[in-house]
């Protein structure tokens, strides 16, 4: 049974079994490399996507759960790669190894969509759903603050 949903603004049909994890459908069926496998337990955030505008761990979401809904990955965040969070990420030189960055950016974009001018405490609390093994947390916080100022 196929599952139909919006993916990065386009209506798509996933032919994977409905109980397949969304992360695998995104990576294997649609060949998107942004959402990454980190822990498989919804604790690191490397797989973060937006579902109907809110953030979600794609490793904890079944494809059947997105039927008729809208899914956005880092590839669909901005057609030019210049979303304010992406621009701030580069300006603050956040990435090191880069593995967690798409999930970090997707979380940050969801925060700013929900709370355009978050406090530092709100940023730290919200971003605690994401792990950066390189420890670039100070730069991540500065990038989110920069993106919020750019508004």
């Amino acid at each position: 049974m196929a599952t139909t949903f919006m993916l990065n603004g386009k209506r798509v049909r996933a032919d994977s079994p409905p109980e397949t994890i969304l992360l695998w459908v995104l990576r294997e069926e649609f060949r998107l490399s942004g959402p990454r496998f980190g822990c498989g337990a919804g604790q690191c955030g490397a797989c973060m996507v937006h579902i109907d505008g809110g953030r979600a761990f794609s490793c904890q979401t079944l494809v059947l759960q997105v039927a008729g809904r809208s899914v956005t990955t880092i590839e669909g965040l901005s057609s030019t790669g210049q979303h304010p969070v992406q621009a701030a990420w580069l300006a603050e030189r956040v990435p090191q190894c880069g593995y967690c960055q798409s999930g970090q950016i997707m979380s940050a974009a969801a925060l700013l969509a929900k709370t355009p001018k978050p406090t530092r405490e709100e940023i730290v609390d919200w971003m605690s759903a994401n792990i950066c093994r390189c420890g670039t947390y100070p730069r991540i916080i500065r990038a989110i603050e920069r993106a919020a100022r750019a508004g």
Side-chain angles (χ1 to χ4, degrees):
M1 180 176 158
T3 304
T4 304
F5 61 100
M6 296 296 289
L7 176 59
N8 295 331
K10 297 178 185 168
R11 188 172 175 80
V12 297
R13 173 186 154 153
D15 294 321
S16 300
E19 66 279 357
T20 305
I21 299 296
L22 178 60
L23 175 62
W24 302 136
V25 172
L26 296 173
R27 290 187 64 82
E28 301 299 322
E29 194 165 334
F30 295 106
R31 301 288 185 226
L32 297 173
S33 60
R36 301 213 173 119
F37 179 82
C39 68
Q43 295 181 0
C44 75
C47 68
M48 199 68 73
V49 298
H50 296 174
I51 299 176
D52 294 336
R55 70 179 178 172
F57 295 100
S58 63
C59 75
Q60 297 294 294
T61 305
L62 302 178
V63 72
L64 67 88
Q65 294 174 292
V66 299
R69 299 176 76 185
S70 177
V71 176
T72 305
T73 66
I74 188 90
E75 291 89 350
L77 191 61
S78 166
S79 62
T80 63
Q82 286 300 305
H83 184 280
V85 174
Q86 291 171 306
W89 234 249
L90 294 175
E92 292 295 334
R93 298 180 178 179
V94 173
Q96 274 191 339
C97 83
Y99 196 83
C100 72
Q101 297 308 301
S102 62
Q104 298 275 0
I105 289 169
M106 294 305 287
S107 265
L111 169 63
L112 295 178
K114 178 180 172 283
T115 309
K117 301 290 183 193
T119 65
R120 182 170 277 243
E121 184 177 285
E122 288 171 320
I123 293 169
V124 170
D125 182 56
W126 182 268
M127 296 304 292
S128 68
N130 293 74
I131 294 173
C132 174
R133 289 177 177 93
C134 297
T136 64
Y137 299 111
R139 287 184 277 180
I140 290 168
I141 293 166
R142 284 195 312 268
I144 296 169
E145 290 171 335
R146 178 185 286 252
R149 284 191 306 272

